[in-house]
Amino acid sequence: MANDLNPLRAEARVERTPDPCTVVIFGASGDLAKRKLVPALFNLARERRLPGGFSIVGYSRSPLSDEALRALMYEAVVRFSSSGPPTAAEWESFAAGMFYCQGGYDDVAGYTRLKERLAAIDAERGTSGNRIFYLSTPPSLIGPIMDTLGASELARSAPGSWTRIIIEKPLGYDLKTAQELNAHISRIFDESQVYRIDHYRAKETVQNIVAMRFANGIFEPVWNRRYIDHVQITAAEAVGVEGRGGYYEGSGAVRDMLQNHLLQLLALVAMEPPISLEADAIRDEAIKVAKAIRPLVPSEVDAHAVRGQYTAGWVGGKAVPGYREEEGVSPTSTTETYAAIRFEIDNWRWAGVPFFLRSGKRMTKRAAEIAVQFRQVPMRLFSTTEADLHEPNLLVMKIQPDEGLTLRLAAKLPGHAIHLRSVNMEFRYGTSFGVRSSEAYERLLLDCMFGDATLFTRRDMVETGWALMMPILDHWAASGERNLHFYEAGTWGPEAANRLMDEGRAWRRL
Amino acid sequence: MGIVEDIERRRPVDVAAIERELTELWKAAAEAKDGAATDAVMRVCLLNLLVFITDEARLGEVSEVVAKVTESAPCRAIIMHADLSRTATETHAWIASHCHLDDQMRQVCCEEIRVAASGSAIRYLARTVAPLIAPDLPVFLWWQDLQTLQEKYFLDFLPEVDRVIVDSRQLTHRDAQAPQLARFVLEARQRAAFSDLNWTRLTRWRDLIAGLFDAPDLTHYLHQLTRVTILYAKDEEASGIPLQALLLTGFFAAQLGWTLKDAYEVSRHQAELRFRARQRRVTVTIEPQESQGLPQRQLTEVILLAERPEMARFSVTCHPSEGADWLYTPAVEISGGVRYHTTIALPQLTEARLMSREVEIFGRSKPYERALRVALDIITELELDAQFN
């Protein structure tokens, strides 16, 4: 890190900045670049988190000039920047480092022009040959882009500089294609150069799981099978497929959410303490616990996993169509818009503690959380009349929309008689720390510039995730409509999901 | 963040009953929101912020600063007013709550306790206030009267606080309080961490200047610097070099390993300081220029030159914008060619903004202490020069 050599930054309380670099966005005229990437980079620049000379090169097939790209991105930043529109001076400064290069994704001549442009930027703006290639393109283009980067020698780092590549999900369609994709990547890039984005990991609360577990001594003694009854991990969306029916038909809830995001959350909740906060130390522990998850065999799938699909209903005060009536969706589609799975982890800490994962579209409301349900006290000292509404302790890590922690405790109601009620102790980021949390993409882009891969998914985690999901996906694919449960839009999913719960457990109403 | 909304339920209370009265205050605030959700009023506290003033006219401003600070750092604020002009021994207290709406339109409230003391009661302020400090949370003490830093009633606070914050903004090297403050902080640092808002104002400058040298091929110029010019907005009425400029010089010297050789005043507002850095000399010139709309004595431009093997010029300039921001222009020129030049708009440094930043930091700042030591050496050298010339 160049900053470490700058004596003016030694022991200073100012935030360090990454090495000067250029971010090359493939698919620069696309939606992701406009909605997320460039606004995130602008916010970082506004907060002075980017190095001097930082540059962006947009690359796509569209015929655009530097000026046209800047105009396009100005509109995008005005519309999508979470910190507000830029002032004239801010934009002038940011846009001065923005360039465009036109070319096909498998066009070596285009990449040669890109290479020349990057060399010129290095000379003019001091970016020192450091590059990030951001593949903001459909999955089908990942292979051609990587091949051409390799062929044009852009994948290699010049001495004393670095080259990194960021890849968006989906990382394969199944285990086989994920392995093929990873093998393809590894032929051109070293694993240390590869940053697979999982924007869920960059949310404050997700990072706070590690802080909460390993910076607070009170949790570790009870973080095991003796005290925890079960864990529920939920990612519920109120929206449907939002005009992306064609994409979703080839995906579904398991591929879209459970195989990556929810499994990552499970790993963070269940992993052993890492030996350090180094990226690989955390990822080593995460993969260890992921490998300890007991895979389902085909005969167990119906008992441990439930899939559902929404029908027409009512969400947010509006009537909404069923999934099969959405644009781009087959009227006989069996794609799951809801999935719930019960997993068990075969290790000493978690043996016998079920982990329930669920995700769905068109549910009652948008909410994502991890709920750790503790066991009941061993002996009930207090009466259990209808006046007593206390339940076992519960620790909820809320991821969205209102990031924070809630701990449920039992307390005595005021009065002569002893009646108990559950009360919540709440910690909310928005009220406790009145500072704006970084957007996920801001955090991830900055981490990549620093070379910190902690929040990115390593190859082995991707493949382990797929390996766990394949028996379920294969079983469902072979079952036609047999075990597809329909649920009305605006509800918490199909009734059948309740059967995954037993021994007095129930899905939480969020 | 939402709008600051003072509930305006300030009321006099018996000092001994403040905790009980605060509970009542919260109850009343919640009742005022009848019909709303049970968490309509959230009481949040991350730290204690104690403020000491002797000038009653500052009460309103300080209360506004506290209200702003609570938006980003919910706290229990205790504002102490010592009335040095009155001899009667009296203590009065009031409580109030500062509320703001968070980004989800929930009302988040923090407490403000005011304690006014006069006569002998001032001597026991620390004892009066200690029981009111929210336990297990960091304690910041913003001491606004630099002349009373040697008083026992200030020293009595040190065991109770984690960090003392002062502001040397008005001081120049000719003010007797400047060396006193520096010596006091350097001696007292074992008992409590000290910070100076005047140093915090430099954070932005230090960051921008450091940023000029982040590129690996530019870092080495830091070890070839020969001339530094620090310009500040002129103040005809004040005499002497602003302490802020000396702190920045001290920062450069401490971080880059320069040793002070001599210092002299070119004029009432201008000084030249000479340092030795290994095999070369570094000359630092501090001089005023027309304020151009910036507050008096604020830094306006810093230029760092490396003259060999080629001319390299690194600079940061500050000028006001049409809006509420200040515009900073960091620039690098190598052999006359522009290597880097940009303009960054940053909000003006209000007291509230500075304090919000201060309460994020715990413990001592070694760069500050090192810079302060060099600044003290420069002041001593300038005093000696004045005596003999």
Side-chain angles (χ1 to χ4, degrees):
Chain A
M1 181 60 51
N3 282 192
D4 299 341
L5 303 172
N6 183 343
L8 295 184
R9 294 218 182 263
E11 295 180 84
R13 62 164 111 132
V14 292
E15 304 257 21
R16 63 186 188 140
T17 52
D19 295 342
C21 62
T22 302
V23 173
V24 180
I25 303 175
F26 287 98
S29 54
D31 216 33
L32 182 68
K34 285 187 278 192
R35 282 176 175 269
K36 297 286 184 190
L37 303 183
V38 176
L41 289 167
F42 171 76
N43 287 343
L44 289 171
R46 173 178 262 170
E47 290 174 7
R48 290 179 294 129
R49 304 300 311 275
L50 296 182
F54 170 80
S55 306
I56 299 170
V57 176
Y59 186 98
S60 76
R61 291 182 284 229
S62 309
L64 288 175
S65 63
D66 289 349
E67 283 310 318
L69 179 75
R70 288 167 190 165
L72 195 68
M73 291 309 168
Y74 177 75
E75 281 176 29
V77 169
V78 167
R79 196 159 160 217
F80 298 115
S81 165
S82 60
S83 65
T87 63
E90 283 173 339
W91 183 252
E92 190 184 336
S93 168
F94 182 69
M98 195 183 294
F99 309 95
Y100 185 73
C101 189
Q102 187 203 351
Y105 293 116
D106 54 358
D107 170 16
V108 176
Y111 283 55
T112 305
R113 286 195 300 279
L114 174 64
K115 197 173 177 181
E116 289 164 2
R117 195 80 199 256
L118 289 170
I121 291 169
D122 285 341
E124 285 166 23
R125 297 179 59 81
T127 41
S128 309
N130 298 323
R131 325 202 183 301
I132 293 173
F133 295 111
Y134 198 116
L135 273 52
S136 169
T137 55
S140 59
L141 293 174
I142 293 177
I145 292 172
M146 284 194 306
D147 287 341
T148 323
L149 282 172
S152 52
E153 297 197 338
L154 277 163
R156 285 193 205 156
S157 308
S161 62
W162 47 258
T163 299
R164 296 171 189 144
I165 184 165
I166 300 180
I167 302 170
E168 280 275 339
K169 72 168 194 175
L171 303 166
Y173 177 77
D174 52 22
L175 178 60
K176 185 167 172 285
T177 52
Q179 286 170 329
E180 284 168 1
L181 176 66
N182 284 332
H184 197 151
I185 294 170
S186 65
R187 283 198 293 275
I188 295 152
F189 290 94
D190 184 78
E191 179 65 21
S192 65
Q193 293 178 280
V194 183
Y195 291 71
R196 297 175 187 84
I197 280 231
D198 181 345
H199 64 270
Y200 240 69
R201 287 284 305 270
K203 290 181 181 293
E204 289 286 359
T205 306
V206 177
Q207 294 168 59
N208 204 32
I209 296 168
V210 175
M212 190 210 67
R213 284 194 57 197
F214 305 125
N216 295 292
I218 58 169
F219 293 116
E220 179 56 23
V222 296
W223 210 256
N224 56 52
R225 62 190 301 275
R226 275 190 75 185
Y227 298 98
I228 291 177
D229 179 76
H230 71 277
V231 177
Q232 293 185 25
I233 303 177
T234 303
E237 294 175 89
V239 296
V241 290
E242 302 293 289
R244 296 169 68 232
Y247 162 76
Y248 203 77
E249 276 287 88
S251 172
V254 168
R255 288 185 170 89
D256 195 40
M257 294 297 294
L258 276 81
Q259 175 271 334
N260 37 51
H261 304 317
L262 269 58
L263 213 53
Q264 288 279 357
L265 297 182
L266 185 156
L268 288 173
V269 170
M271 71 185 191
E272 295 298 314
I275 55 166
S276 75
L277 289 179
E278 295 289 316
D280 274 335
I282 293 177
R283 299 196 298 182
D284 285 346
E285 293 304 335
I287 190 67
K288 208 158 79 182
V289 77
K291 284 184 172 172
I293 297 172
R294 188 188 308 158
L296 300 181
V297 296
S299 61
E300 290 175 325
V301 171
D302 283 341
H304 288 80
V306 169
R307 62 173 171 158
Q309 190 185 80
Y310 65 82
T311 58
W314 198 263
V315 180
K318 284 183 191 161
V320 295
Y323 177 68
R324 289 179 175 181
E325 295 137 41
E326 300 270 14
E327 193 185 332
V329 174
S330 160
T332 57
S333 171
T334 56
T335 300
E336 81 283 0
T337 61
Y338 172 97
I341 304 174
R342 174 192 170 124
F343 277 126
E344 300 224 2
I345 299 174
D346 289 331
N347 65 17
W348 276 39
R349 188 188 284 267
W350 297 114
V353 178
F355 283 73
F356 298 97
L357 276 56
R358 65 172 166 167
S359 178
K361 288 193 176 289
R362 286 280 187 237
M363 294 179 74
T364 310
K365 65 178 181 184
R366 173 176 174 252
E369 63 161 47
I370 300 163
V372 179
Q373 172 82 63
F374 289 87
R375 290 188 189 280
Q376 274 286 10
V377 289
M379 189 182 81
R380 292 213 171 201
L381 278 176
F382 301 94
S383 67
T384 52
T385 66
E386 62 274 18
D388 296 286
L389 292 172
H390 76 283
E391 293 172 280
N393 297 130
L394 177 79
L395 180 70
V396 180
M397 291 164 258
K398 293 182 181 171
I399 295 162
Q400 61 187 25
D402 200 6
E403 297 190 53
L405 292 173
T406 300
L407 180 62
R408 185 172 71 198
L409 303 167
K412 180 187 165 300
L413 278 175
H416 295 295
I418 295 184
H419 291 303
L420 302 183
R421 283 287 158 84
S422 291
V423 291
N424 284 353
M425 284 172 59
E426 296 230 19
F427 155 70
R428 294 180 185 177
Y429 270 97
T431 50
S432 298
F433 302 115
V435 291
R436 185 182 77 92
S437 291
S438 290
E439 296 281 320
Y441 276 97
E442 291 172 31
R443 174 68 199 260
L444 292 166
L445 284 161
L446 197 61
D447 279 4
C448 181
M449 290 180 215
F450 278 119
D452 181 350
T454 309
L455 303 180
F456 295 84
T457 313
R458 207 166 59 185
R459 174 183 181 157
D460 49 2
M461 191 67 178
V462 174
E463 293 178 11
T464 302
W466 280 117
L468 283 166
M469 297 299 165
M470 287 323 295
I472 301 165
L473 290 168
D474 288 343
H475 179 74
W476 286 348
S479 304
E481 208 176 278
R482 186 175 58 79
N483 45 23
L484 180 66
H485 303 275
F486 294 96
Y487 62 99
E488 192 182 327
T491 66
W492 283 111
E495 280 287 319
N498 293 331
R499 73 156 191 259
L500 299 183
M501 296 289 182
D502 49 14
E503 299 162 27
R505 295 169 183 139
W507 289 108
R508 278 171 44 74
R509 275 175 296 144
L510 310 181
Chain B
M1 297 300 295
I3 311 144
V4 174
E5 178 198 327
D6 197 337
I7 287 179
E8 287 301 345
R9 211 174 272 110
R10 181 165 295 128
R11 58 194 193 204
V13 292
D14 176 0
V15 175
I18 280 178
E19 287 292 353
R20 191 182 67 229
E21 294 289 339
L22 280 169
T23 305
E24 290 297 315
L25 180 81
W26 285 102
K27 207 171 146 192
E31 283 165 1
K33 292 275 160 193
D34 49 34
T38 50
D39 61 355
V41 176
M42 274 184 283
R43 181 184 191 179
V44 186
C45 190
L46 289 181
L47 55 97
N48 294 280
L49 176 59
L50 279 52
V51 189
F52 175 88
I53 58 171
T54 51
D55 179 4
E56 193 173 6
R58 281 277 289 158
L59 266 174
E61 287 169 45
V62 166
S63 187
E64 277 179 33
V65 170
V66 166
K68 283 281 180 198
V69 170
T70 58
E71 284 184 32
S72 58
C75 61
R76 171 175 281 194
I78 305 174
I79 301 175
M80 302 168 284
H81 169 225
D83 188 345
L84 302 175
S85 63
R86 293 188 67 226
T87 50
T89 297
E90 285 178 335
T91 308
H92 298 286
W94 299 262
I95 54 172
S97 55
H98 283 294
C99 295
H100 68 273
L101 299 175
D102 73 359
D103 51 6
Q104 311 225 350
M105 302 307 284
R106 286 170 306 218
Q107 190 165 230
V108 181
C109 293
C110 310
E111 301 144 339
E112 180 190 302
I113 302 167
R114 282 191 190 178
V115 178
S118 61
S120 299
I122 295 171
R123 282 168 36 204
Y124 301 104
L125 252 181
R127 287 188 202 169
T128 305
V129 166
L132 304 176
I133 293 172
D136 304 320
L137 293 171
V139 184
F140 295 84
L141 172 61
W142 183 14
W143 198 266
Q144 298 213 359
D145 188 347
L146 293 177
Q147 297 188 26
T148 55
L149 280 180
Q150 311 287 348
E151 299 288 346
K152 186 174 180 302
Y153 57 80
F154 166 71
L155 299 174
D156 284 346
F157 273 99
L158 294 185
E160 307 290 341
V161 305
D162 296 290
R163 192 172 174 89
V164 180
I165 301 163
V166 294
D167 189 358
S168 66
R169 177 178 200 147
Q170 296 308 320
L171 300 184
T172 73
H173 82 276
R174 284 172 174 259
D175 292 305
Q177 289 152 31
Q180 276 175 16
L181 173 67
R183 287 190 190 103
F184 179 79
V185 169
L186 293 169
E187 283 165 17
R189 61 188 165 161
Q190 302 303 335
R191 287 183 281 168
F194 276 80
S195 182
D196 183 349
L197 294 185
N198 212 16
W199 171 254
T200 313
R201 286 183 191 94
L202 280 177
T203 304
R204 180 178 282 186
W205 284 94
R206 292 188 291 125
D207 184 25
L208 290 169
I209 294 166
L212 299 174
F213 297 92
D214 275 341
D217 61 327
L218 297 180
T219 308
H220 68 97
Y221 285 109
L222 278 172
H223 305 294
Q224 291 161 7
L225 296 174
T226 47
R227 295 197 71 83
V228 176
T229 305
I230 300 173
L231 300 168
Y232 65 92
K234 199 172 191 173
D235 178 3
E236 284 295 351
E237 291 183 10
S239 183
I241 309 299
L243 194 56
Q244 192 181 40
L246 297 181
L247 283 172
L248 184 63
T249 308
F251 169 70
F252 290 141
Q255 300 298 107
L256 300 174
W258 303 346
T259 310
L260 182 67
K261 301 309 290 181
D262 57 64
Y264 68 94
E265 285 184 67
V266 177
S267 71
R268 208 158 58 96
H269 296 114
Q270 186 176 348
E272 192 160 301
L273 321 169
R274 295 202 186 102
F275 293 87
R276 174 156 292 285
R278 291 187 191 156
Q279 299 305 312
R280 67 185 197 286
R281 288 181 181 190
V282 184
T283 304
V284 179
T285 307
I286 302 172
E287 56 186 279
Q289 63 174 188
E290 291 306 320
S291 74
Q292 297 171 334
L294 290 171
Q296 291 175 334
R297 280 183 267 184
Q298 178 180 301
L299 301 191
T300 55
E301 187 170 8
V302 178
I303 305 161
L304 303 99
L305 292 181
E307 293 161 302
R308 279 191 222 108
E310 66 274 302
M311 177 65 86
R313 185 180 194 274
F314 301 83
S315 63
V316 177
T317 311
C318 177
H319 40 99
S321 72
E322 286 175 9
D325 292 339
W326 285 329
L327 299 177
Y328 292 81
T329 307
V332 178
E333 286 176 29
I334 308 290
S335 303
V338 176
R339 164 69 184 271
Y340 176 67
H341 184 277
T342 189
T343 301
I344 302 163
L346 296 171
Q348 292 187 23
L349 287 173
T350 59
E351 260 184 342
R353 199 175 292 278
L354 291 165
M355 281 303 296
S356 298
R357 189 168 167 81
E358 275 300 322
V359 297
E360 289 174 0
I361 302 158
F362 307 105
R364 291 164 51 190
S365 164
K366 288 181 183 170
Y368 166 59
E369 291 174 3
R370 287 196 293 258
L372 189 64
R373 180 167 293 288
V374 179
L376 180 59
D377 291 345
I378 296 170
I379 293 170
T380 309
E381 199 66 28
L382 288 171
E383 280 175 350
L384 283 172
D385 177 66
Q387 281 173 19
F388 289 105
N389 295 292

